[in-house]
Amino acid sequence: MKFHLMRTALAASIIGVLIAHVNLSPAVGATSTLSLAVQQTPSTTEPTISLYGSLKPKKSGIKISIQVEIDKKWQSTALTTKTNATGTWRIEGSASALDTVVRYRAKALVGSKFIYSQARTITVKELPEISIADTATIIDQTGPGGYIHGLDISRWQHPNDAPIDFVKAYSAGVRFVMIKASDTRDISDAQALKYLVMDHNAAQAAGIYTGFYHYATLPDSTDPAVIVADAKAQAQRVLWRLASLGGYTERDLSYALDLENKCVRLTSGGACARNATRSATTLWATTWLAMVAEKTNRLPILYSYPTFLEGSMVRTAELLKYPLWIAHYAINPADPLAKPGQKSGGCFVHSWTTATCETIWTFWQYSSCGIGKKYGIPSTRVDLNVFRGPPSSFLQLVKGTWVPEVSDLMPKQEPSQTFVESITATTSNKNVIFSVMVKRPDASPVVTGTVRYFADKDANLLLTPQQSVVRLSSGSWILTVKGIPAGTWPGRIKYTDISGTHAISDAPVVFTLSQGPTGTPTPTPPSTSPTPKPPVTPKPAVDGCANQIKN
């Protein structure tokens, strides 16, 4: 929300009349905490102040009001907003009282108790005179080659949960940052959300435009209907995540699809046993991109690298309409002739390739070896990116906001239904394998969650079986259970969702195992004198940044 900060007789107030004096000893909520950060955001018109924070535990729709300290008394202002579904909030306003030390705090009513943030102090600085009040003038082309410079970040930039200093990043020339906001895998998705909450408002308050990306894992299926359903389910996850932030604002770049991995099945040793076909990968990507575009009325971005685009996807005119964010290292954007997506002896041929063998790109990730501390990043490395085009073209990408309706928000405890499609159970020395599908009320697959086997208590299964689950596609799993003895075992396959999106459901199962062969242990021969082993020569460390640009 945006408000205007005006001068008062005391030169320290915010828009509107400062109203009721507030008791300095309010009751504090027993379990909720409220945070506040205050900083001056770069602007070309009037000095802009951003106030932002979060409510924990997260709760949406909680009114946040701002108080200012005048003559050592806390007084209310007209600045208010509400928390979004992630529990975060932000207020931005223009200030006219300059070089004055001001203290603010945030207030919220949670349940029947008021809670308050810690007080924060700020001194608003006067802006340098700018001849043309154009927002494009603060999108400096400070990157190599005169490009607009940016970063992309995830949990790897937060070692030990350390925060990023976005003010330092802005001072170092960063004007946009792409934040990992979601992931196909539930645990990775929860991690992405944790750091998204930390970074989104903080980056914008520092004057940096923010974008988002979703790391995709493709389904293990060649059935077009399954591929489409999975793409729509993952697009739904993204839309729920974006809605939880309040939708797109005028400082948000579009969501990007991070598509760089086509492996759909792993061996027990972790190697890739099966890749998605070119047609399956393309169908999945175009379905995801189209659904996100239709819902948000903005074209999402596709992130990938040249060999993946060329070898893993079919060339289509439909893909070409989406902006491309291409990763291509060891080429320096400072070289005017440097171009991503090209190779010696020809070019990569994909949907964004022109007749002159060039790639039509919008963003270029030119290094994964940016110097972290230079940009206020706690990790040693950070990915570096540039934007192709002038500030006016950049601003075209942030046009069009999307404000979600209540129906666009992630549901809570939405009913689910579990189906056991098949059971493979033979002898006690072999695994029991379940094929499980879980659906939403509209018969589409659930978006999050996993499944597990539970024996009935009356069955007296004394052993704790080993279980592993493999996701085939959204709402579809292969559950493998090992270590169940011979007998008939009634039980249930239970679906749970740690995100709380879908409600718990289960389905009854009964299977019988015959007694399998029991191996006779081979006696261990008596040990003899150990044969001395030759010394192990350590392998030289691999430099992951060799030949990369280290800006």
Side-chain angles (χ1 to χ4, degrees):
M1 300 182 68
K2 222 173 184 185
F3 295 86
H4 190 75
L5 308 184
M6 301 293 290
R7 184 188 304 273
T8 68
L10 296 173
S13 69
I14 307 178
I15 184 175
V17 178
L18 294 177
I19 51 178
H21 173 59
V22 179
N23 188 334
L24 293 180
S25 301
V28 179
T31 58
S32 297
T33 60
L34 184 64
S35 67
L36 168 68
V38 183
Q39 66 187 65
Q40 186 167 349
T41 301
S43 172
T44 59
T45 51
E46 297 179 277
T48 300
I49 304 300
S50 291
L51 305 98
Y52 62 96
S54 62
L55 176 68
K56 295 182 179 179
K58 64 182 179 182
K59 190 173 183 181
S60 63
I62 298 297
K63 181 181 178 181
I64 304 294
S65 56
I66 302 299
Q67 297 182 319
V68 63
E69 188 179 48
I70 304 292
D71 292 337
K72 297 184 179 181
K73 296 180 180 178
W74 287 104
Q75 299 183 18
S76 296
T77 75
L79 292 178
T80 62
T81 188
K82 291 183 178 180
T83 58
N84 58 34
T86 65
T88 60
W89 57 273
R90 181 167 176 245
I91 298 174
E92 185 177 289
S94 302
S96 56
L98 305 177
D99 298 320
T100 302
V101 179
V102 188
R103 274 164 53 89
Y104 296 112
R105 72 178 182 184
K107 168 187 173 184
L109 179 63
V110 181
S112 59
K113 295 182 179 180
F114 286 108
I115 62 172
Y116 294 77
S117 71
Q118 290 186 347
R120 301 298 181 191
T121 302
I122 188 171
T123 302
V124 183
K125 301 296 183 182
E126 186 173 3
L127 295 175
E129 290 190 9
I130 299 176
S131 58
I132 301 176
D134 182 359
T135 54
T137 61
I138 64 171
I139 309 177
D140 310 299
Q141 294 168 275
T142 55
Y147 291 110
I148 297 170
H149 211 201
L151 311 174
D152 61 272
I153 57 176
S154 66
R155 68 184 181 94
W156 301 110
Q157 278 64 57
H158 291 278
N160 301 315
D161 287 348
I164 293 172
D165 185 348
F166 288 105
V167 174
K168 186 174 182 179
Y170 185 92
S171 298
V174 172
R175 293 299 177 264
F176 68 90
V177 59
M178 304 297 286
I179 306 170
K180 182 177 181 181
S182 53
D183 194 297
T184 304
R185 303 157 297 180
D186 287 352
I187 294 177
S188 297
D189 186 68
Q191 290 174 327
L193 176 58
K194 174 182 177 180
Y195 296 109
L196 171 66
V197 168
M198 290 178 62
D199 294 336
H200 183 227
N201 283 337
Q204 290 195 1
I208 297 173
Y209 286 81
T210 56
F212 317 97
Y213 70 91
H214 172 78
Y215 184 86
T217 301
L218 300 178
D220 186 359
S221 177
T222 57
D223 183 344
V226 172
I227 293 168
V228 167
D230 182 79
K232 288 183 175 180
Q234 291 199 46
Q236 183 62 71
R237 182 195 290 263
V238 162
L239 293 169
W240 283 339
R241 182 59 42 81
L242 185 57
S244 74
L245 298 173
Y248 283 136
T249 71
E250 67 277 4
R251 283 187 177 272
D252 284 325
L253 295 160
S254 294
Y255 228 109
L257 171 62
D258 181 350
L259 188 54
E260 56 183 289
N261 178 16
K262 62 181 178 180
C263 182
V264 297
R265 187 181 303 172
L266 297 173
T267 65
S268 57
C272 186
R274 179 179 175 185
N275 285 310
T277 63
R278 288 163 60 94
S279 59
T281 304
T282 306
L283 175 61
W284 191 98
T286 51
T287 301
W288 188 100
L289 292 163
M291 181 171 172
V292 174
E294 180 182 9
K295 185 62 180 181
T296 63
N297 201 30
R298 268 201 197 182
L299 288 176
I301 301 162
L302 179 70
Y303 168 90
S304 196
Y305 57 95
T307 54
F308 187 94
L309 295 172
E310 183 181 52
S312 305
M313 301 184 74
V314 179
R315 294 182 68 188
T316 69
E318 183 178 359
L319 282 173
L320 178 59
K321 71 182 182 183
Y322 298 103
L324 176 63
W325 176 14
I326 191 167
H328 199 161
Y329 304 154
I331 303 175
N332 198 327
D335 177 1
L337 299 179
K339 298 173 183 178
Q342 291 189 312
K343 60 184 176 182
S344 59
C347 63
F348 294 100
V349 179
H350 48 69
S351 298
W352 291 266
T353 304
T354 69
T356 57
C357 203
E358 294 188 5
T359 297
I360 303 171
W361 60 274
T362 303
F363 295 93
W364 173 12
Q365 186 187 75
Y366 69 91
S367 178
S368 65
C369 296
I371 303 168
K373 64 180 181 180
K374 176 180 177 180
Y375 303 101
I377 304 294
S379 62
T380 57
R381 291 169 52 176
V382 65
D383 295 340
L384 302 177
N385 302 267
V386 291
F387 170 79
R388 182 181 191 173
S392 57
S393 297
F394 183 89
L395 290 173
Q396 289 294 320
L397 293 183
V398 296
K399 280 191 173 181
T401 59
W402 176 56
V403 179
E405 304 290 339
V406 174
S407 59
D408 295 319
L409 294 172
M410 179 182 287
K412 294 182 179 179
Q413 300 299 323
E414 178 186 72
S416 67
Q417 190 170 6
T418 298
F419 301 90
V420 178
E421 299 184 314
S422 67
I423 304 174
T424 302
T426 55
T427 56
S428 59
N429 63 313
K430 294 183 179 180
N431 298 335
V432 181
I433 300 174
F434 303 92
S435 175
V436 185
M437 170 66 76
V438 184
K439 296 184 178 181
R440 302 176 63 191
D442 63 359
S444 64
V446 292
V447 178
T448 53
T450 190
V451 293
R452 191 171 178 83
Y453 166 72
F454 291 89
D456 286 352
K457 292 182 179 180
D458 294 341
N460 293 320
L461 179 60
L462 301 179
L463 302 175
T464 301
Q466 299 177 20
Q467 302 194 41
S468 62
V469 62
V470 175
R471 173 190 177 275
L472 298 180
S473 64
S474 294
S476 177
W477 297 271
I478 293 295
L479 174 62
T480 301
V481 183
K482 179 181 180 181
I484 297 181
T488 297
W489 302 102
R492 308 192 79 78
I493 300 298
K494 186 175 183 180
Y495 163 76
T496 58
D497 180 9
I498 60 172
S499 73
T501 305
H502 308 293
I504 293 171
S505 63
D506 59 25
V509 292
V510 178
F511 59 91
T512 300
L513 294 176
S514 302
Q515 180 62 52
T518 56
T520 303
T522 302
T524 304
S527 61
T528 59
S529 299
T531 302
K533 296 181 179 180
V536 177
T537 303
K539 293 181 180 180
V542 177
D543 182 5
C545 289
N547 301 320
Q548 285 208 44
I549 313 302
K550 301 175 184 177
N551 286 344

